[in-house]
């Protein structure tokens, strides 16, 4: 990944793209897709019998089902499950919502799978349902999002979301020449990942006195709501210069909002994630930079940690995976293409 990003830097890029590419190098330093450089805070031994995991049933519970981030995570997890000889069931709510995810977790708990990989939709509300999984004997691996009290999990695997938010602030600041009004379109409070991205963004703009922060607004993971937020903010602030969209649906909606408001090119967008629609918006010039996470790697490492726990082998408690920053300038590079999310495996 780093090699790819260094190659991007050597190209002659327009100023804004060069700023983004330079930022990409720093963002990439926040984590890694390979296990050797993943960060680990501690290791622990599982208390299980140490028998082989082969043939055991695992379940992956996504934050929301039809989201290409989780679809890609499932692709990585399924490939790893096949390699390790375990079966993996994929489930998730139709919306990113604790009230919808909880009954799914309860139903999974009743089946007592050997391990569950889960992205909790709320860092507090999902604690009890997830503890129930662990109490029932399933090994729990938190993938992507986490809990306020993550002690129930054998491992937590995610991007370094706060660092990604800070890098987004720096990239956006550079894109708009260090001056002007900026807005965060977030998802909803209580999601560990997107909360951390907004926090990182807010600390990243503190060192840029020319930026005026208009605060964050919540889209509820609904592109239509994100679009209406952007149009309403533009109606009051026609001089809005930049938007940080903290996830895939916030980004899709923000781009639609700009298009509908006729502001193409006048407002810059940096967002997390790299779903197919986001990539199209980048190509169309509505969005200038995508911070692509590595969901397939999160899924694959999630399965590895689950199997370790089942087999009584040590776990890596905290794993941070990397990013690839996608711009119009590097979109056609094979390494960038590999980092884009899939709509199906
Ligand atoms: O950004 C990802 C994920 O990391 C986040 O926790 C929720 O939103 C996404 O799934 C993208 O929609």
């Amino acid at each position: 990944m780093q090699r790819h990003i260094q190659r991007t830097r050597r190209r002659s890029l327009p100023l804004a793209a060069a700023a983004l590419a330079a930022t990409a190098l720093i963002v990439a330093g926040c984590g890694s897709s390979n296990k050797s450089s993943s960060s680990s805070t501690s290791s622990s031994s599982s208390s299980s019998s140490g028998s082989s995991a082969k043939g055991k049933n695992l379940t992956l519970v996504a934050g929301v089902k039809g989201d290409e981030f989780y679809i890609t995570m499932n692709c990585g997890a399924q490939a790893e499950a096949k390699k390790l000889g375990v079966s993996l069931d994929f489930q998730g709510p139709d919306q990113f919502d604790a009230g919808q995810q909880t009954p799914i977790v309860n139903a999974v708990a009743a089946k007592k799978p050997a391990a569950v990989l889960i992205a909790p939709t709320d860092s507090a509300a999902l604690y009890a349902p997830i503890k129930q999984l662990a109490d029932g004997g399933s090994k729990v691996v938190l993938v992507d999002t986490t809990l306020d009290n993550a002690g129930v999990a054998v491992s937590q695997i995610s991007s370094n979301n706060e660092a990604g938010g800070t890098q987004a602030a720096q990239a956006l600041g550079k894109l708009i020449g260090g001056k002007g009004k900026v807005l965060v379109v977030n998802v909803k409070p209580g999601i560990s990942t997107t909360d951390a991205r907004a926090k990182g963004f807010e600390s990243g703009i503190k060192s840029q006195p020319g930026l005026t922060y208009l605060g964050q607004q919540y889209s509820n993971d609904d592109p239509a709501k994100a679009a209406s937020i952007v149009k309403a903010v533009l109606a009051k602030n026609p001089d809005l210069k930049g938007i940080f969209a903290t996830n895939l649906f916030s980004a899709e909606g923000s781009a639609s909002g700009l298009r509908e408001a006729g502001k193409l090119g006048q407002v810059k967008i940096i967002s997390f994630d790299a779903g197919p629609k986001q990539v199209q918006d980048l190509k169309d010039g509505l969005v200038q930079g995508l911070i692509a996470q590595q969901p397939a790697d999160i899924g694959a490492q999630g399965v590895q940690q689950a199997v370790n726990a089942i087999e009584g082998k040590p776990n890596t408690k905290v794993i941070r995976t990397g990013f690839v920053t996608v711009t119009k300038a590097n979109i056609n590079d094979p390494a960038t293409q590999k980092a884009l999310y899939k709509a199906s495996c």
Side-chain angles (χ1 to χ4, degrees):
M1 181 180 63
Q2 280 210 345
R3 232 179 305 130
H4 146 64
I5 287 159
Q6 279 157 359
R7 200 168 57 232
T8 306
R9 291 187 78 202
R10 280 198 294 272
R11 281 186 174 178
S12 159
L13 301 176
L15 195 65
L20 267 172
T23 303
L25 185 69
I26 309 166
V27 173
C30 297
S32 165
S33 63
N34 59 45
K35 279 166 278 164
S36 59
S37 52
S38 294
S39 77
S40 126
T41 53
S42 63
S43 288
S44 68
S45 275
S46 159
S47 57
S48 87
S49 61
S51 62
S52 167
K54 283 223 166 28
K56 295 257 162 88
N57 297 323
L58 277 57
T59 299
L60 167 58
V61 183
V64 59
K65 229 176 177 178
D67 174 333
E68 286 104 359
F69 172 84
Y70 293 113
I71 292 170
T72 309
M73 179 189 289
N74 182 44
C75 297
Q78 292 293 349
E80 193 64 21
K82 200 168 170 196
K83 228 193 275 168
L84 299 180
V86 293
S87 76
L88 182 75
D89 177 34
F90 181 57
Q91 305 217 15
D94 292 333
Q95 281 165 358
F96 203 98
D97 180 73
Q100 286 193 19
Q101 195 184 37
T102 298
I104 292 172
V105 179
N106 292 343
V108 169
K111 291 189 181 161
K112 298 195 185 302
V116 178
L117 283 65
I118 178 165
T121 43
D122 185 289
S123 61
L126 262 294
Y127 176 74
I130 290 176
K131 179 155 188 310
Q132 174 198 210
L133 286 172
D135 290 347
S138 301
K139 304 297 178 193
V140 173
V141 177
L142 297 173
V143 283
D144 179 43
T145 48
T146 189
L147 294 169
D148 298 335
N149 180 357
V152 285
V154 296
S155 181
Q156 304 171 59
I157 308 165
S158 73
S159 306
N160 189 339
N161 291 291
E162 190 170 339
T166 303
Q167 301 304 330
Q170 287 159 357
L172 191 60
K174 281 179 188 153
L175 278 167
I176 63 174
K179 256 196 352 230
K181 294 179 178 171
V182 295
L183 170 74
V184 172
V185 180
N186 206 344
V187 185
K188 58 168 103 170
I191 305 172
S192 64
T193 49
T194 49
D195 282 353
R197 291 169 201 167
K199 186 174 173 219
F201 182 86
E202 286 173 0
S203 70
I205 57 170
K206 280 197 183 119
S207 56
Q208 304 184 68
L211 301 186
T212 304
Y213 183 39
L214 299 183
Q216 56 177 317
Q217 293 199 34
Y218 295 104
S219 70
N220 204 26
D221 216 28
D222 175 3
K225 172 89 173 120
S228 67
I229 288 171
V230 166
K231 285 187 283 183
V233 169
L234 275 168
K236 276 198 191 149
N237 301 274
D239 54 346
L240 177 70
K241 284 283 182 293
I243 297 172
F244 172 45
T246 64
N247 85 336
L248 191 144
F249 295 113
S250 307
E252 289 184 5
S254 297
S256 306
L258 277 194
R259 182 181 272 126
E260 287 158 24
K263 288 279 187 176
L264 175 67
Q266 291 169 47
V267 182
K268 310 292 183 200
I269 301 182
I270 300 281
S271 83
F272 252 71
D273 299 309
K277 171 127 194 339
Q278 289 176 278
V279 169
Q280 192 55 52
D281 288 337
L282 180 88
K283 289 179 177 163
D284 291 348
L286 282 156
V287 174
Q288 283 64 45
L290 306 176
I291 300 174
Q293 306 184 74
Q294 298 183 322
D297 188 36
I298 295 175
Q301 294 207 54
V303 170
Q304 288 163 9
Q305 291 300 317
V307 165
N308 281 354
I310 295 166
E311 295 185 343
K313 295 179 183 155
N315 281 113
T316 304
K317 275 298 210 185
V318 177
I319 296 174
R320 295 283 179 239
T321 52
F323 307 109
V324 172
T325 300
V326 183
T327 67
K328 231 176 179 176
N330 70 9
I331 185 74
N332 293 321
D333 290 358
T336 308
Q337 286 288 313
K338 244 178 104 182
L340 307 180
Y341 302 175
K342 296 176 180 166
S344 64
C345 297

